[in-house]
Amino acid sequence: MSEKSAPVAYGGQAVIEGVMFGGKHVNVTAVRRKSGEITFLEVPREEKSWVRSLRKVPLLRGLVSLVDSSVKGSKHLNYSFDAYADDEMTPEEREELKAKNKKGEAKLSLGAIVGVTAAAIISFIVGKIVFTLVPVFVEDFLFKGSFAHQIYHNLAEGGIKLVLLLLYLYLISLTPLVKRLFQYHGAEHKVISAFEAGEELTPKNVQKYTRLHYRCGSSFIMLTVIIGILIYSLFSWDSLLERVVQRLLLLPVVMGVSFEFLKFTNALRDVPVLRYLGYPGLWLQLLTTKEPTDEQVEVSIASFNRMREVDAVYQKQGVPASAPNAILDPLEG
């Protein structure tokens, strides 16, 4: 594309050996196979009317978006894992699995699909609870009775949470698998930035851009730490148990307010002074993204272009009522 492009409203997500981009009507994942071929998973975006309604409600829309992205992201992540597993199969193992697929023995049942969805939601909720409560217990153990005012305990709790977050991200980024995941994350950001700048999407052009992007979900993680300190400071507690219960009850509020603040900072990113409000999230992306290779950028470009192509078709013709998922099974890709 040679003409200047308007800021893109599409979201992206890194998956194993690939990238998922979400358009207005379809989510597309591109995965690099061991043979060098790039295959795709295309899933039409379908939402219940009540979900669309909740997305319009301030504070609630943040929670809905987070849970929804976790559920949908798990499907695309499973596709990339299946593709990776398929590439590691012997020809005999692949033929045996194909035979089972034809007999219906290897297909997921409705119960299994519901189970995967429930697991995604539960893991998201449990992760947030653990990350919220562990700093509370650590702070109470280290600084119980050390401060006269509870606001200092809140600041210490926030500091501990930030240290644990940074340490966790740093340690997992050292593993080869997560490092590649973060490289694809960086590739996704570069493609979006190049598109918004009106550049032709080639690996050489895309690599010129930063791997950091304002609209990344990593910024949300950092905001929950900062917003949490502010919201928790509005309430007092008399015991550790009361403090724990308070944190659990306020967790949805912290997440909702953080989401709204993220939208606010995104809207102000072009204002010379106010754009600095989004910098903490950009700094966190120094850990959650890595510089990608040209091959990884190529996969990200393929995913983005495929998403735009399918999106344009759906925009013109409408999304079919029973639109099929393209290449759901890596064995058939």
Side-chain angles (χ1 to χ4, degrees), residues 19-327:
V19 173
M20 183 272 281
F21 278 103
K24 296 178 181 178
H25 305 291
V26 66
N27 295 328
V28 174
T29 291
V31 174
R32 171 84 71 181
R33 307 303 296 273
K34 201 171 186 178
S35 63
E37 177 190 9
I38 298 176
T39 60
F40 302 89
L41 169 67
E42 301 162 7
V43 181
R45 298 187 68 167
E46 300 172 322
E47 285 187 346
K48 302 294 184 182
S49 58
W50 63 271
V51 175
R52 288 195 296 270
S53 298
L54 288 178
R55 283 185 181 275
K56 299 176 182 178
V57 181
L59 298 182
L60 279 180
R61 59 189 174 190
L63 300 176
V64 173
S65 296
L66 290 169
V67 173
D68 185 56
S69 63
S70 296
V71 173
K72 291 180 178 177
S74 65
K75 177 182 290 187
H76 292 265
L77 192 62
N78 286 339
Y79 171 71
S80 65
F81 271 118
D82 289 343
Y84 177 81
D86 176 56
D87 283 338
E88 299 302 314
M89 286 183 182
T90 64
E92 294 76 14
E93 290 173 333
R94 189 174 291 109
E95 289 302 319
E96 181 180 350
L97 186 55
K98 280 186 177 181
K100 289 183 177 180
N101 282 341
K102 289 180 180 179
K103 295 179 181 179
E105 297 174 4
K107 297 296 183 181
L108 283 176
S109 65
L110 177 61
I113 295 174
V114 172
V116 170
T117 301
I121 296 175
I122 291 173
S123 62
F124 171 79
I125 295 175
V126 170
K128 291 302 298 180
I129 290 176
V130 169
F131 185 65
T132 298
L133 295 187
V134 167
V136 173
F137 290 111
V138 173
E139 194 282 331
D140 183 76
F141 176 77
L142 294 177
F143 302 108
K144 185 175 183 178
S146 299
F147 306 122
H149 202 289
Q150 290 183 350
I151 191 172
Y152 297 117
H153 286 284
N154 292 334
L155 290 171
E157 178 187 334
I160 292 170
K161 183 180 295 185
L162 183 59
V163 169
L164 292 177
L165 171 65
L166 297 178
L167 182 62
Y168 169 75
L169 290 174
Y170 172 72
L171 290 177
I172 65 172
S173 71
L174 298 179
T175 64
L177 186 64
V178 176
K179 181 181 178 180
R180 290 187 66 80
L181 185 68
F182 286 176
Q183 284 178 303
Y184 276 110
H185 190 190
E188 171 240 317
H189 285 178
K190 284 173 175 276
V191 167
I192 290 288
S193 296
F195 174 81
E196 291 179 338
E199 286 271 16
E200 180 184 2
L201 296 183
T202 65
K204 182 178 180 181
N205 288 342
V206 169
Q207 286 283 32
K208 295 185 299 184
Y209 290 84
T210 176
R211 71 180 197 265
L212 311 182
H213 199 281
Y214 251 86
R215 294 196 302 277
C216 176
S218 300
S219 300
F220 174 80
I221 300 174
M222 180 65 80
L223 277 175
T224 58
V225 177
I226 300 173
I227 298 296
I229 294 175
L230 298 176
I231 292 179
Y232 297 151
S233 297
L234 300 176
F235 302 88
S236 61
W237 70 89
D238 296 321
S239 65
L240 178 61
L241 177 60
E242 185 177 342
R243 185 179 181 184
V244 168
V245 172
Q246 183 187 100
R247 295 300 187 263
L248 292 176
L249 293 177
L250 290 174
L251 180 57
V253 179
V254 172
M255 294 170 63
V257 173
S258 298
F259 183 85
E260 298 300 325
F261 192 78
L262 180 61
K263 288 175 66 67
F264 176 71
T265 57
N266 285 339
L268 299 176
R269 64 183 183 276
D270 294 325
V271 179
V273 177
L274 298 180
R275 68 192 309 266
Y276 294 107
L277 290 173
Y279 272 36
L282 292 177
W283 295 334
L284 186 62
Q285 290 175 43
L286 293 173
L287 284 176
T288 62
T289 64
K290 300 291 183 184
E291 285 295 331
T293 65
D294 287 347
E295 290 75 17
Q296 290 168 330
V297 169
E298 185 181 6
V299 174
S300 188
I301 292 173
S303 177
F304 186 76
N305 285 339
R306 183 67 165 257
M307 177 273 296
R308 293 187 67 228
E309 291 171 4
V310 178
D311 229 24
V313 173
Y314 285 167
Q315 181 72 26
K316 183 177 181 181
Q317 302 178 359
V319 182
S322 58
N325 296 335
I327 319 179

